[in-house]
Amino acid sequence: MTAALLAGVLAGYGIAIPVGAVGTYLVSLTARTTLRTGVCAALGVATADGLYALAATLGGPALAAALRPVLGPLRWVCVLVLLALAAWGAAGAVRRYRHHRLATHAGAAPVSPARAYLALLGITLLNPTTVIYFAALVLGSQTGDAAGSGERVVFVAAAFAASASWQVLLAGGGALLGRMLTGHRGRLVTALVASGVMTALALRMAVAPV
């Protein structure tokens, strides 16, 4: 059980700590909305990580073999999603700045916690980095076939908890950033920087080999 717990914690933090496009969007979203919305979004990311950890423990090498053919299409879907989010975020920030509004969306209702959860869950499930990470985990460990049901449960729970703790920490940082940058110009700069980072990561993902 201890080995499964440690393996799950390491797996969860291993995929969560590198702050890529998903983490950047999470921080930006929380800065523009509320801590509650950010926490729900963070749990959406952690849920996706937990689902992949569960699949890794149950699927074994067969799952990894099945994932290989779709890694390329998933990468392009993720590139398009990231570019759309970057453009949407930048355009919304410019509109809000021009109209001098502090609402999270110009002329629209704020993002609800449930919507934030589902959005980040979907984005993370389509993230090729997550797919590749857990596919490698399946191929490089005996977590799936050799472990009993108890060890599997502990591994998945530990991976989810580790990922959730880090994502919630990022959301807290986004909430603090939002309180610091309460002016129109500060929110515009924050949104444009986040959009720029997401665009750069999407372009880098597009040209990187699978």
Side-chain angles (χ1 to χ4, degrees):
M1 287 292 184
T2 302
L5 176 64
L6 180 59
V9 169
L10 292 176
Y13 280 128
I15 190 61
I17 287 179
V19 180
V22 173
T24 301
Y25 181 67
L26 173 61
V27 173
S28 175
L29 174 67
T30 312
R32 299 194 311 270
T33 56
T34 65
L35 179 59
R36 181 184 177 189
T37 299
V39 168
C40 288
L43 292 178
V45 178
T47 299
D49 290 344
L51 289 174
Y52 275 123
L54 177 62
T57 63
L58 296 178
L63 174 65
L67 286 175
R68 286 196 188 96
V70 301
L71 291 181
L74 280 178
R75 181 180 67 179
W76 286 108
V77 169
C78 190
V79 166
L80 294 176
V81 169
L82 289 175
L83 290 175
L85 284 173
W88 178 58
V94 171
R95 285 197 306 270
R96 289 193 300 273
Y97 181 72
R98 286 178 176 175
H99 294 287
H100 298 288
R101 294 176 180 174
L102 292 176
T104 56
H105 293 282
V111 178
S112 67
R115 183 179 174 185
Y117 173 87
L118 293 174
L120 269 294
L121 171 64
I123 292 171
T124 309
L125 286 175
L126 291 174
N127 185 3
T129 301
T130 308
V131 177
I132 294 169
Y133 177 82
F134 281 105
L137 182 65
V138 168
L139 290 174
S141 71
Q142 300 298 319
T143 304
D145 296 332
S149 58
E151 286 81 0
R152 291 176 180 178
V153 171
V154 170
F155 174 82
V156 173
F160 170 81
S163 176
S165 66
W166 181 258
Q167 303 302 338
V168 169
L169 180 63
L170 288 181
L176 178 61
L177 182 65
R179 286 194 294 271
M180 292 172 58
L181 300 176
T182 56
H184 300 294
R185 191 181 302 275
R187 288 181 179 272
L188 174 65
V189 171
T190 301
L192 291 180
V193 168
S195 295
V197 171
M198 283 189 286
T199 299
L201 290 171
L203 294 177
R204 180 180 178 184
M205 187 183 298
V207 300
V210 178

